[in-house]
Amino acid sequence: MDKNLLKEINFKQEDKITIIGHSGAGKTTLMGWLIENKMKNFQNVYIVDTVNRFSNVPSLDYVGVTKCKKQYTNVTCVKIHTEIQFEALIYYLSMHFSKFFVAVDEIDRYISIYRLYPETKLWLEEGRNFDRGGLFTVRRVGFLNKSILGNSHYLFLFKMNIATDLDYISQIAGVNVSNLQYHGEHSFYIIDLYQTKILGETEL
């Protein structure tokens, strides 16, 4: 296991990164680490907070910008609940910023497996040409829209035990992940999807 592997990768503003793992694997911890350590120089970073892991939300039905729990220099925390609200966020960012980066905790809650709204589709499929990247965590692989993983530069894969999920990931990623051996409770593999190459196993 190469513990320096993650530190050696230089992520870009236009990159899309997907983190997949079951509950408790360490997805949100990894997401927070990446935002704090690898996205410091990114412009207009927004965190879509699903269950208040990153932000302090005034009420359960609150929608909109909320205060982040940690002090970030370049990050805005947002609470939304639906696909159409997510589409509205991407539209707003597209209209106001030439560059932006959206980190979404449990993105399968906001993007349907069956359809993509126009602005969301444009951001996912063409955003890398305009410095519009994203960071996504996914728990329910069966609800993952193919455009998310299909347009990601990097995949961080924690141990998964469901064979159909592994087959689905392998099919979209073009890399066989069914036989990966994990050597730590919270270790994960980094896969470069542009090169269809498994870079190695690491942990925080």
Side-chain angles (χ1 to χ4, degrees):
M1 189 184 331
D2 183 356
K3 291 190 177 182
N4 293 316
L5 179 59
L6 186 58
K7 297 177 181 178
E8 295 169 355
I9 299 176
N10 293 315
F11 300 98
K12 298 178 181 178
Q13 172 94 33
E14 69 268 21
D15 279 337
K16 292 191 174 66
I17 303 151
T18 300
I19 304 170
I20 297 178
H22 58 73
S23 296
K27 301 185 302 298
T28 303
T29 300
L30 175 56
M31 181 178 178
W33 188 91
L34 289 169
I35 292 168
E36 289 186 58
N37 293 278
K38 292 293 187 177
M39 284 87 188
K40 290 180 179 178
N41 298 319
F42 287 11
Q43 297 181 32
N44 307 308
V45 178
Y46 279 68
I47 298 176
V48 177
D49 189 24
T50 304
V51 289
N52 308 339
R53 292 188 179 101
F54 293 96
S55 64
N56 295 308
V57 179
S59 63
L60 292 176
D61 60 351
Y62 180 81
V63 175
V65 172
T66 185
K67 186 177 181 180
C68 295
K69 288 181 179 178
K70 290 189 177 181
Q71 292 293 107
Y72 300 103
T73 57
N74 62 334
V75 174
T76 301
C77 286
V78 179
K79 184 72 172 184
I80 58 177
H81 303 285
T82 66
E83 283 182 70
I84 196 66
Q85 289 170 354
F86 187 81
E87 170 75 355
L89 173 64
I90 300 301
Y91 176 76
Y92 169 84
L93 297 177
S94 300
M95 292 297 101
H96 288 82
F97 306 116
S98 59
K99 299 179 181 181
F100 61 82
F101 190 90
V102 185
V104 190
D105 191 25
E106 298 189 19
I107 193 169
D108 48 288
R109 291 174 179 254
Y110 306 106
I111 296 180
S112 168
I113 187 174
Y114 302 111
R115 66 175 180 274
L116 291 171
Y117 283 104
E119 292 293 338
T120 301
K121 180 179 174 66
L122 191 65
W123 165 62
L124 281 175
E125 297 182 355
E126 299 182 34
R128 66 174 177 239
N129 299 318
F130 305 99
D131 293 323
R132 296 175 175 181
L135 170 62
F136 322 121
T137 71
V138 178
R139 177 174 56 88
R140 304 178 302 169
V141 175
F143 292 87
L144 177 64
N145 189 292
K146 292 181 179 180
S147 285
I148 296 170
L149 192 55
N151 288 282
S152 289
H153 188 168
Y154 294 100
L155 166 63
F156 296 85
L157 184 63
F158 288 89
K159 186 176 181 179
M160 303 289 293
N161 295 317
I162 302 175
T164 53
D165 286 350
L166 292 169
D167 290 342
Y168 184 68
I169 295 168
S170 298
Q171 180 184 6
I172 299 173
V175 178
N176 184 6
V177 299
S178 298
N179 299 316
L180 295 177
Q181 299 295 315
Y182 291 81
H183 300 90
E185 184 180 356
H186 298 289
S187 66
F188 53 91
Y189 278 87
I190 301 178
I191 302 166
D192 186 328
L193 297 175
Y194 286 0
Q195 299 184 53
T196 58
K197 180 180 179 181
I198 298 174
L199 302 181
E201 182 189 10
T202 188
E203 61 185 5
L204 288 180

